[in-house]
Amino acid sequence: MEEMEEELKCPVCGSFYREPIILPCSHNLCQACARNILVQTPESESPQSRRASGSGVSDYDYLDLDKMSLYSEADSGYGSYGGFASAPTTPCQKSPNGVRVFPPAMPPPATHLSPALASVPRNSCITCPQCHRSLILDDRGLRGFPKNRVLEGVIDRYQQSKAAALKCQLCEKAPKEATVMCEQCDVFYCDPCRLRCHPPRGPLAKHRLVPPAQGRVSRRLSPRKVSTCTDHELENHSMYCVQCKMPVCYQCLEEGKHSSHEVKALGAMWKLHKVVRDQISHCTVKLRQTTGLMEYCLEVIKENDPSGFLQISDALIRRVHLTEDQWGKGTLTPRMTTDFDLSLDNSPLLQSIHQLDFVQVKASSPVPATPILQLEECCTHNNSATLSWKQPPLSTVPAEGYILELDDGNGGQFREVYVGKETMCTVDGLHFNSTYNARVKAFNKTGVSPYSKTLVLQTSEVAWFAFDPGSAHSDIIFSNDNLTVTCSSYDDRVVLGKTGFSKGVHYWELTVDRYDNHPDPAFGVARIDVMKDVMLGKDDKAWAITEGGITKGATVGVLLDLNRKTLTFFINDEQQGPIAFENVEGLFFPAVSLNRNVQVTLHTGLPVPDFYSSRASIA
């Protein structure tokens, strides 16, 4: 069953599929992940309009896209932009093309459809992350793809089998749940069998007993035994005889058995023969993938849902035939002889040389060519945008640097956000729920190239963030991935959120996990330079609520409406009086002050309460 686990994981998020859908290429995706990797073409430059107008082929025709809208519903912290010499932080480990994909946000459902399927923009395009086939969605959007109910059932059974408790290995009839595992005996015991068969006194007293889960891990991680010489059992292999083609020990050499042979260090020969390990590793990976596919097929056969089975049966048959063909074409054929005789096959290189087409480049154009935005590497993340570009493949004029420009998010004038030699840049501190236009141009000593095509990027509608250890007081204690905080001091200390807001409507909640001796915690917003060693609101840098029904288990909601310049508080979903503060302008960070008698947990990525949204629309 463990070999099948990779078949049950989404190639985008790396987790078990959640509400999987079947693409036309027979691969599966989570609904939320499919929504996250959608890209959109403006109607004025859709593939159909370009074909109708008879326009020529452009640098983006491989995706049938000119202007693209990239949507991301994940979030990150607040910071400043800068260039990077390499790609951004490595995304999900299972992402096949290195494109970073983030957890989906949770916008309020506007219709009876699920959030992953609702409000799909027109002219949307989705690219399979496994086979890289692109497909332009019709008017139905993601609803046009069938749901894989069989795969959901297989995942449920697999997770139930993984969660099954380890059983005692010595119970005679109905095995009881194991409570310990002896590392020396390599046996799982329940409490009665441990007292009966593994007493705490006598020769077994020195054995190490560990919890069953730890014992299962130690079984997989147990070290291998060191290989010893067949003629001298107490000696380890340390050398390698080239003539005999076998490892030997020092005592074999002292006895003169290989005196006239060429002998080399065992480690050096191991590195020399590493190509064999690479071949074995390749075959092992292929065997594990095939075994996982077989186990997955066997689980699918167990399904008693005829419609669900017939929905995916053709796709499974194609995958099995493809795997069978790959094995038949020599997957396990050795790449070289046992003597490692290497030969160079230059026929593919000669064929490629004969197929080359030479293009005459005008020498009178010293200005760099127009850069090409790499759409597959451009993305938005919370209120940040990452852009990547490159020079055209046939460009002969080198570029000394690049200039990246963004507008203000409202269709205003472009401004320079990066100037340098790097071909990738992340711009932080953008407005949430805003649409930005980006373009790039190259320059050298002679002049500046034309602008690239304009790329349209949409920042996240809601913010996901955690508390910021970097700006917090040193007495603040963090846990739960910086979502839960408390304090080591009896005095009030302040901690801020990582993300700052200067535009839009934002809502987050904090739950009171511990509340002892009436500690008076404060919840609200603050400037970045607020005092960190006094209660929130004691200076002119913070706006907060300190009382009004806050007890253990209470949920405090904070609503910051920068469009109307107001700050409102809620306790257990009930508004605390009228608007708490008005004329709130500038850059604000979520803030909390507490002492050691209080512990709170932050909840983000929440939609604005429905009644407030309807009231704001009426106003």
Side-chain angles (χ1 to χ4, degrees):
M1 293 285 286
E2 293 184 358
E3 300 291 343
M4 182 180 60
E5 184 166 326
E6 294 304 320
E7 289 288 331
L8 309 181
K9 290 186 177 180
C10 175
V12 175
C13 63
S15 303
F16 288 108
Y17 286 103
R18 295 184 297 273
E19 299 182 339
I21 59 176
I22 307 174
L23 301 181
C25 59
S26 304
H27 293 118
N28 299 288
L29 283 179
C30 301
Q31 283 186 356
C33 295
R35 180 65 180 84
N36 278 346
I37 64 175
L38 282 177
V39 292
Q40 179 195 8
T41 332
E43 287 190 16
S44 61
E45 300 191 19
S46 64
Q48 292 84 355
S49 63
R50 290 210 313 276
R51 283 192 290 267
S53 62
S55 59
V57 178
S58 71
D59 295 325
Y60 296 93
D61 280 346
Y62 69 98
L63 280 178
D64 282 336
L65 301 174
D66 282 340
K67 291 184 179 179
M68 299 291 297
S69 293
L70 306 183
Y71 292 88
S72 171
E73 306 205 9
D75 297 280
S76 70
Y78 174 86
S80 61
Y81 65 86
F84 297 92
S86 59
T89 305
T90 304
C92 165
Q93 191 174 12
K94 304 301 178 184
S95 180
N97 55 0
V99 177
R100 187 170 186 179
V101 181
F102 302 92
M106 296 180 289
T111 65
H112 66 281
L113 301 175
S114 64
L117 295 179
S119 303
V120 175
R122 297 185 59 186
N123 298 321
S124 295
C125 173
I126 188 171
T127 301
C128 176
Q130 290 183 284
C131 65
H132 306 289
R133 283 185 55 189
S134 297
L135 176 72
I136 296 180
L137 276 62
D138 56 18
D139 293 338
R140 295 177 298 171
L142 294 178
R143 289 175 293 165
F145 299 133
K147 294 183 178 180
N148 197 337
R149 299 191 304 271
V150 173
L151 179 55
E152 287 182 313
V154 173
I155 292 175
D156 291 339
R157 290 199 303 271
Y158 179 79
Q159 291 178 327
Q160 292 173 5
S161 66
K162 293 284 285 186
L166 293 170
K167 301 298 182 180
C168 175
Q169 295 177 279
L170 298 182
C171 291
E172 295 182 356
K173 294 183 179 179
K176 299 179 180 179
E177 183 176 348
T179 57
V180 295
M181 182 259 191
C182 176
E183 289 188 337
Q184 285 72 27
C185 302
D186 196 20
V187 175
F188 290 95
Y189 297 95
C190 63
D191 286 335
C193 291
R194 177 177 59 84
L195 296 175
R196 176 169 51 88
C197 303
H198 201 288
R201 297 183 179 87
L204 302 181
K206 296 183 179 180
H207 287 196
R208 184 167 181 260
L209 301 179
V210 297
Q214 182 180 345
R216 175 158 54 181
V217 173
S218 63
R219 277 185 170 182
R220 295 197 299 264
L221 301 180
S222 57
R224 299 179 180 177
K225 295 182 179 180
V226 179
S227 175
T228 59
C229 179
T230 56
D231 296 331
H232 311 95
E233 296 181 355
L234 299 180
E235 297 290 336
N236 297 333
H237 288 139
S238 57
M239 305 296 289
Y240 184 84
C241 179
V242 178
Q243 278 74 13
C244 299
K245 295 183 180 180
M246 60 179 295
V248 296
C249 67
Y250 278 112
Q251 192 167 345
C252 292
L253 299 179
E254 291 178 356
E255 293 176 356
K257 294 182 179 180
H258 306 273
S259 58
S260 60
H261 295 175
E262 181 183 3
V263 179
K264 294 185 178 181
L266 190 63
M269 293 302 297
W270 174 76
K271 293 181 179 179
L272 182 62
H273 293 187
K274 184 178 181 293
V275 66
V276 176
R277 297 196 307 118
D278 293 341
Q279 176 68 23
I280 294 174
S281 175
H282 170 74
C283 295
T284 302
V285 171
K286 188 64 181 178
L287 180 60
R288 183 167 61 250
Q289 293 174 348
T290 306
T291 304
L293 177 61
M294 293 170 59
E295 290 183 355
Y296 173 62
C297 292
L298 292 175
E299 289 297 321
V300 169
I301 293 175
K302 298 178 183 178
E303 280 294 319
N304 54 7
D305 181 2
S307 62
F309 177 82
L310 293 175
Q311 190 179 44
I312 67 169
S313 59
D314 290 337
L316 272 182
I317 292 173
R318 287 195 298 269
R319 289 192 61 189
V320 172
H321 284 172
L322 178 61
T323 303
E324 183 180 5
D325 292 339
Q326 291 176 348
W327 282 107
K329 291 179 180 179
T331 303
L332 292 177
T333 302
R335 297 180 181 177
M336 59 190 65
T337 67
T338 56
D339 294 329
F340 304 97
D341 293 331
L342 303 178
S343 59
L344 177 63
D345 183 11
N346 59 0
S347 56
L349 178 60
L350 294 176
Q351 183 179 2
S352 300
I353 293 175
H354 290 309
Q355 293 176 352
L356 287 177
D357 292 328
F358 295 91
V359 179
Q360 183 178 2
V361 180
K362 295 182 179 179
S364 60
S365 179
V367 176
T370 303
I372 299 176
L373 286 167
Q374 300 190 82
L375 305 180
E376 66 276 9
E377 295 184 16
C378 298
C379 65
T380 57
H381 174 205
N382 200 21
N383 61 337
S384 302
T386 298
L387 298 104
S388 177
W389 57 89
K390 65 179 181 179
Q391 281 292 99
L394 299 179
S395 174
T396 59
V397 180
E400 295 181 3
Y402 303 90
I403 301 174
L404 177 64
E405 297 181 358
L406 263 71
D407 65 1
D408 60 357
N410 290 319
Q413 293 183 350
F414 283 86
R415 68 188 191 279
E416 294 182 0
V417 296
Y418 171 72
V419 178
K421 297 181 180 181
E422 306 298 338
T423 59
M424 178 170 287
C425 175
T426 296
V427 185
D428 296 327
L430 302 177
H431 294 304
F432 287 90
N433 195 22
S434 300
T435 302
Y436 287 87
N437 295 294
R439 63 187 184 184
V440 65
K441 59 183 178 181
F443 67 89
N444 59 12
K445 295 180 180 179
T446 305
V448 181
S449 73
Y451 285 105
S452 67
K453 292 180 181 290
T454 302
L455 184 68
V456 182
L457 305 112
Q458 173 73 36
T459 55
S460 177
E461 295 182 1
V462 295
W464 292 77
F465 58 92
F467 289 113
D468 184 16
S471 62
H473 193 278
S474 58
D475 291 339
I476 297 294
I477 302 173
F478 295 84
S479 61
N480 188 24
D481 292 335
N482 298 336
L483 292 175
T484 301
V485 293
T486 185
C487 183
S488 61
S489 172
Y490 284 105
D491 297 324
D492 291 312
R493 302 295 187 236
V494 174
V495 57
L496 303 179
K498 278 191 173 182
T499 301
F501 306 107
S502 59
K503 177 185 175 183
V505 183
H506 308 280
Y507 179 75
W508 62 92
E509 293 180 349
L510 302 106
T511 55
V512 181
D513 304 326
R514 190 175 73 251
Y515 188 92
D516 301 328
N517 303 324
H518 305 286
D520 292 330
F523 308 88
V525 297
R527 307 284 190 188
I528 188 65
D529 56 346
V530 66
M531 297 176 62
K532 306 297 194 310
D533 54 356
V534 296
M535 177 182 289
L536 201 65
K538 292 294 184 179
D539 59 1
D540 60 349
K541 306 291 186 180
W543 294 258
I545 181 175
T546 59
E547 56 186 19
I550 300 176
T551 60
K552 179 179 180 181
T555 299
V556 180
V558 182
L559 179 60
L560 178 62
D561 189 346
L562 292 170
N563 296 336
R564 303 173 64 187
K565 304 178 183 179
T566 60
L567 180 64
T568 310
F569 296 97
F570 303 81
I571 297 181
N572 297 328
D573 296 331
E574 293 184 5
Q575 182 173 341
Q576 296 300 293
I579 295 173
F581 298 97
E582 297 181 338
N583 298 322
V584 181
E585 293 182 273
L587 178 64
F588 298 93
F589 292 81
V592 177
S593 67
L594 42 73
N595 59 25
R596 66 183 302 166
N597 293 322
V598 182
Q599 177 176 300
V600 299
T601 298
L602 177 65
H603 304 277
T604 62
L606 304 177
V608 177
D610 294 337
F611 76 90
Y612 184 85
S613 301
S614 59
R615 186 176 64 187
S617 62
I618 295 175

